[in-house]
Amino acid sequence: VTGATEAAYDAAGSAYQHWRWSRLWDTLEVDVVLEELPTQGRALDAGCGYGRYAAPVRVRGLDYVGIDISDVQLGLARAAHPEIAGQLVRGDIVVMPFADASFDAVLCTRVLSHGASLDAASGEFARVLRPGGTLVVTDISDQHYYERATIPTESGEVRLPVKRYAQRDLAAALERTGLAIERCRRIAEQYATVPLLDVTVARKLAAR
Ligand SMILES: C[S@@+](CC[C@H](N)C(=O)[O-])C[C@H]1O[C@@H](n2cnc3c(N)ncnc32)[C@H](O)[C@@H]1O
C-alpha cells in the first residue's frame, strides 16, 4: 500500500498542490482543523505532504513537526519552509521515529484513506501524544467519488490509491488505543448530495 502511495505522490510532485481538489482543502478544511488544535506546544503533522499546514499551525502558536512517506512531497515542504527543514522527516505513520508522549497535538489530514492500517496508525497517534493531547483526523467521506479523480501532471494523469473506510471504523480503532472521541463532523460542498470530508477529533486519555 505504502509503495503505491509513495510512488503516486512522488509522481504528482507539485501538481498535487495546485490540483483543484487540493485547493478545495484550503478553503473547506484548514480552518476546521486549526480551531481544534491547542495554541501552544508541539504538533505532529502525520502525512504532511508539501506542508500545507506548516505555516498555519505555527501561526496558531505550535511548534511543527511533519512526517511523510513521499520524498518528493517532503522536498517541496522543505523548499517552502527551509527554516524548519530539519523538522520534516521521512517515514511511515504506522512506525514513527518519535518518542512516546512527545506531542501535544497530532493532525492527520486525508492520509489514512491511502490504506494505512487504522489500528496501527491509531496506536502510533496514541503513543506519541501526551495524556490530554489532541488528535484531529480528516478524510474523504466513504460516500464520496473522490477516488475517480486523477491529478493532471506534465507527464500524464496520476491516480492516487484510495481505500475507503467508514468514520465509525476509525473511531473504533482510536478508542481501542486509549483515545476518547470528542467529535465527529462531516463537511459537504455547497449543494452537494454526498458528504465530502469526515473530521474526527479525539483526546488521549490519562494513563490509568
Ligand atoms: C492527500 S495528501 C495530504 C497531505 C497533507 N496532509 C495535506 O493536507 O496537504 C496525503 C499524504 O500522505 C502521505 N502518506 C500516505 N500514506 C502515508 C503513510 N503510511 N505514512 C506517511 N505518509 C503517508 C502521502 O505521501 C501524501 O503526502
Side-chain angles (χ1 to χ4, degrees), residues 81-101:
H81 306 282
E83 69 288 1
I84 53 156
Q87 315 277 55
L88 301 169
V89 180
R90 180 154 188 276
D92 192 321
I93 59 164
V94 302
V95 276
M96 297 194 287
F98 306 119
D100 295 359

Side-chain angles (χ1 to χ4, degrees), residues 56-156:
V57 163
R58 285 182 299 151
V59 167
R60 186 154 171 94
L62 290 147
D63 291 332
Y64 179 91
V65 176
I67 185 167
D68 202 281
I69 202 79
S70 162
D71 259 333
V72 172
Q73 296 299 323
L74 272 180
L76 293 167
R78 291 190 184 120
H81 306 282
E83 69 288 1
I84 53 156
Q87 315 277 55
L88 301 169
V89 180
R90 180 154 188 276
D92 192 321
I93 59 164
V94 302
V95 276
M96 297 194 287
F98 306 119
D100 295 359
S102 54
F103 290 97
D104 301 280
V106 173
L107 56 150
C108 183
T109 55
R110 291 162 283 95
V111 176
L112 298 176
S113 54
H114 291 312
S117 150
L118 296 182
D119 279 311
S122 301
E124 277 297 81
F125 299 157
R127 183 183 69 74
V128 302
L129 274 172
R130 65 157 175 81
T134 306
L135 172 71
V136 185
V137 178
T138 74
D139 229 322
I140 310 293
S141 159
D142 63 344
Q143 293 169 40
H144 202 267
Y145 50 85
Y146 177 80
E147 65 203 35
R148 290 191 228 140
T150 55
I151 305 173
T153 74
E154 281 174 8
S155 41

Side-chain angles (χ1 to χ4, degrees), residues 154-166:
E154 281 174 8
S155 41
E157 305 264 313
V158 172
R159 186 175 294 276
L160 300 174
V162 176
K163 190 167 165 239
R164 286 162 180 256
Y165 66 88

